[in-house]
Amino acid sequence: MPLPRLPRLVDAVLDRLVVPGYSRLGYLARSAGWPDLPADALAGRTIAVTGASSGLGTATAVGLAGLGAAVELVVRDRGRGEAARDTVLAAHPGAQVTVARCDLSDLADVRRYALDARDRLLALHGLVHNAGVLPAARTETAQGHELCLATHVLAPFLLTRELLPLLRAGSPPDRPGAPARVVFVSSGGMYTASLHTDDPEYAEGRYSGGAAYARTKRMQVVLAELLADDLAAAGVIVHSMHPGWADTPGVADSLPGFHRVTGPLLRTAEQGADTAVWLQTAVEPGHCSGLFWHDRAPRPTHYLFGEETAAQRAALWALCVDATHDAEAR
């Protein structure tokens, strides 16, 4: 029997103090009061996970498959994707798992994958935008966009719109409690950045991969809010979340100093992926849209900076529309 949930004040204090809230300690304190999810909660639903070849992506796929979902692993490297598929099947031998190759930094490849998915699938009930990068130096993609912006913002925007026919099919009007759900895996690091619509490509000043990561993770949270409004008429739910500090290959490779210092406090990949899985499953997030979640609870989107202006939000939307339109023209 689960323990009682943490009092809201205690939960909020954990969140504000960051270290206890984002670490393994926060997860263990909060999860003690969570009820178990039904083993067949996602039976009959198909969910795609980007960046699924390792870390949070693989853990998310394992969690979804364990609840009965058919999972599509969207990966850049097919060999690593097949290895991730083996991991999912080792945990859940009867699961339906497919591997699809897509380089999320290449908008042309995003369109190609979406066309293939529309040919193969009848419906898509969930989409988890998990693919992430943290480059050491400023890098441009095939379409000339800064790598973090392309991978974290432009590609998810384009992929969501290109898969909308499948997502709409996964949100039948006769099942109002089971809408298709789009989830952005953001980062608590987004709190350290404001919305940089004046220089979204990070072309000015000295480039920092960590700053580019935080900036585009902030963009993801705002974009999720904008998409929530845009897709409401289609019956599609959109949320964003952050996993806390999880011990993944990406963290170890990109932030070795952080990984070394915080190692004992880091969450497992499964703990970090829990909220992304829950958002695809639970009743509560199926009846709202556009919220930012951590450890199964909605969280504030601003601590260090004020809220974005209407003009900034419009500029982000225009950036996504223009960039993806340009990619189609090419």
Side-chain angles (χ1 to χ4, degrees):
M1 182 174 182
L3 298 174
R5 284 181 177 269
L6 283 180
R8 289 186 178 182
L9 178 59
V10 176
D11 180 67
V13 169
L14 285 175
D15 196 53
R16 302 303 191 276
L17 292 179
V18 179
V19 174
Y22 291 11
S23 70
R24 181 191 300 255
L25 301 177
Y27 177 85
L28 293 176
R30 290 167 175 145
S31 63
W34 295 344
D36 293 333
L37 297 172
D40 61 348
L42 294 174
R45 296 176 73 83
T46 299
I47 301 174
V49 182
T50 71
S53 61
S54 67
L56 293 175
T58 300
T60 299
V62 170
L64 295 170
L67 297 174
V71 184
E72 173 130 308
L73 310 181
V74 184
V75 299
R76 184 173 57 181
D77 183 289
R78 181 171 289 277
R80 294 181 63 198
E82 294 290 350
R85 180 177 182 272
D86 291 343
T87 298
V88 177
L89 291 176
H92 306 292
Q96 293 179 261
V97 189
T98 57
V99 177
R101 191 196 63 77
C102 180
D103 182 351
L104 271 293
S105 71
D106 184 342
L107 300 182
D109 205 39
V110 172
R111 289 187 187 280
R112 178 204 57 77
Y113 162 71
L115 179 61
D116 172 69
R118 294 199 304 269
D119 286 341
R120 290 185 292 106
L121 303 176
L122 297 177
L124 194 62
H125 304 89
L127 174 60
V128 180
H129 292 302
N130 170 75
V133 293
L134 203 165
R138 189 179 186 279
T139 305
E140 290 191 355
T141 67
Q143 288 77 34
H145 298 294
E146 189 273 325
L147 183 59
C148 281
L149 178 70
T151 305
H152 299 157
V153 182
L154 302 181
F157 175 82
L158 178 60
L159 185 57
T160 301
R161 289 167 75 92
E162 289 289 306
L163 294 178
L164 185 55
L166 293 177
L167 292 167
R168 189 181 285 113
S171 300
D174 60 336
R175 296 185 65 193
R181 307 180 188 193
V182 177
V183 174
F184 284 79
V185 178
S186 184
S187 165
M190 72 95 189
Y191 284 120
T192 67
S194 58
L195 187 61
H196 283 261
T197 53
D198 54 336
D199 181 26
E201 300 279 1
Y202 210 148
E204 301 173 4
R206 184 176 181 180
Y207 183 85
S208 162
Y213 184 87
R215 289 183 181 189
T216 51
K217 289 299 178 177
R218 164 63 67 184
M219 289 180 182
Q220 283 188 329
V221 173
V222 179
L223 181 58
E225 296 171 347
L226 296 173
L227 281 170
D229 291 339
D230 187 61
L231 300 182
V236 178
I237 296 295
V238 185
H239 290 297
S240 59
M241 56 77 68
H242 84 84
W245 295 343
D247 190 357
T248 66
V251 170
D253 293 342
S254 301
L255 300 170
F258 174 82
H259 185 268
R260 183 173 58 255
V261 171
T262 61
L265 294 174
L266 295 179
R267 300 173 177 213
T268 65
E270 292 73 23
Q271 292 169 345
D274 175 85
T275 295
V277 174
W278 180 84
L279 286 170
Q280 291 288 348
T281 310
V283 172
E284 180 185 352
H287 291 283
C288 56
S289 194
L291 299 183
F292 180 58
W293 302 76
H294 172 56
D295 283 346
R296 302 191 183 187
R299 305 292 175 180
T301 54
H302 299 83
Y303 287 143
L304 302 178
F305 299 94
E307 294 189 5
E308 298 78 22
T309 65
Q312 287 177 312
R313 294 168 70 85
L316 176 60
W317 187 261
L319 167 69
C320 292
V321 170
D322 292 345
T324 53
H325 176 74
D326 288 346
E328 182 177 17
R330 295 184 187 188

